[in-house]
Amino acid sequence: GPDCVRNLESRIDVARSLFMVASKSGSTTEPMVFHRYFYDRVKQIKGDRAGENFIAVTDPNTQLGKDAERDKFRKIFINPADIGGRYSALSKFGLVPAAISGVDIATLLDRAAHTMHITKTPAVKKNPAAQLGATLGALATAGRDKLTLITPAPLDTLGLWVEQLVAESTGKEGKGIVPIAGEPRVDAKAYGKDRVFVAVRLRKSD
């Protein structure tokens, strides 16, 4: 809300900040409003050079792309249009802010390409993604259709993303698995028999 925007603005130097405006459709209300608000703030200080403080990520031929060109954004990243929003972590929508944040995206993409190669292996025993999918499907059919995600810090927000992928992308025709992320842990005896647990952790962590 307005209080959050004011709080953010009070903690940054708008003239020295880089603002990224991201919208797949290029017409989502919130990014458009934030674009106009902060662009006007920067323009009050830098005038016609305000666009130097902005980059955009959007699909081809969107209103955001046109607005970013008009406002002379520093860079406009055009993302492939055939990548669905919830699958876009490794598209420019995810990679641009990751790179700006200091993530080694070359290594990230190298590992992603390796993982993609493995998941195309037809032999289920050599394909960990297929193994997980088959296991979850079999357990759900047997009544264990509550997928409890255990994602300790710094992976805690990963559970929220996986929750959306599982809930929105696999629940079809009255069938599916109910994902549960961010749930406080309790004693194992307190869980019902409709649960299956998947834990994600970093290598070398406890």
Side-chain angles (χ1 to χ4, degrees):
D3 290 340
C4 292
V5 174
R6 277 193 288 268
N7 182 44
L8 172 65
E9 192 174 357
S10 70
R11 292 186 288 115
I12 63 174
D13 179 353
V14 293
R16 299 184 67 246
S17 297
L18 179 68
F19 298 91
M20 178 178 131
V21 186
S23 171
K24 180 172 173 59
S25 69
S27 58
T28 309
T29 302
E30 291 86 348
M32 291 178 74
V33 171
F34 289 139
H35 168 190
R36 289 274 31 105
Y37 179 82
F38 284 106
Y39 184 85
D40 288 345
R41 286 291 186 268
V42 177
K43 190 171 183 179
Q44 290 171 11
I45 303 167
K46 296 184 67 172
D48 292 340
R49 292 172 48 233
E52 295 174 350
N53 292 52
F54 290 82
I55 61 174
V57 184
T58 190
D59 277 5
N61 306 311
T62 66
Q63 187 61 47
L64 172 55
K66 295 172 187 173
D67 292 345
E69 286 183 9
R70 178 200 64 209
D71 290 340
K72 298 183 175 66
F73 274 27
R74 175 180 291 269
K75 179 76 176 176
I76 302 170
F77 296 91
I78 303 300
N79 199 66
D82 60 348
I83 302 175
R86 66 179 67 99
Y87 298 110
S88 61
L90 295 178
S91 75
K92 291 177 184 177
F93 284 102
L95 293 176
V96 171
I100 291 171
S101 301
V103 172
D104 180 357
I105 62 171
T107 299
L108 175 65
L109 290 172
D110 182 64
R111 291 176 178 173
H114 176 67
T115 300
M116 182 179 70
H117 176 73
I118 292 172
T119 59
K120 289 185 176 181
T121 304
V124 173
K125 289 184 178 180
K126 296 181 180 180
N127 186 331
Q131 286 181 34
L132 178 61
T135 301
L136 293 177
L139 288 169
T141 301
R144 291 188 178 269
D145 58 357
K146 309 296 185 299
L147 171 61
T148 306
L149 299 160
I150 300 173
T151 52
L155 301 173
D156 42 357
T157 54
L158 175 66
L160 300 174
W161 180 53
V162 173
E163 180 181 48
Q164 183 191 28
L165 290 176
V166 172
E168 293 190 25
S169 304
T170 65
K172 307 291 182 187
E173 299 176 4
K175 299 178 180 179
I177 298 171
V178 178
I180 303 164
E183 182 182 48
R185 290 195 216 175
V186 297
D187 188 89
K189 295 177 183 177
Y191 293 104
K193 293 184 178 180
D194 57 352
R195 298 283 193 132
V196 58
F197 296 84
V198 172
V200 182
R201 63 186 177 89
L202 293 171
R203 186 179 296 159
K204 297 180 181 177
S205 65
D206 295 334

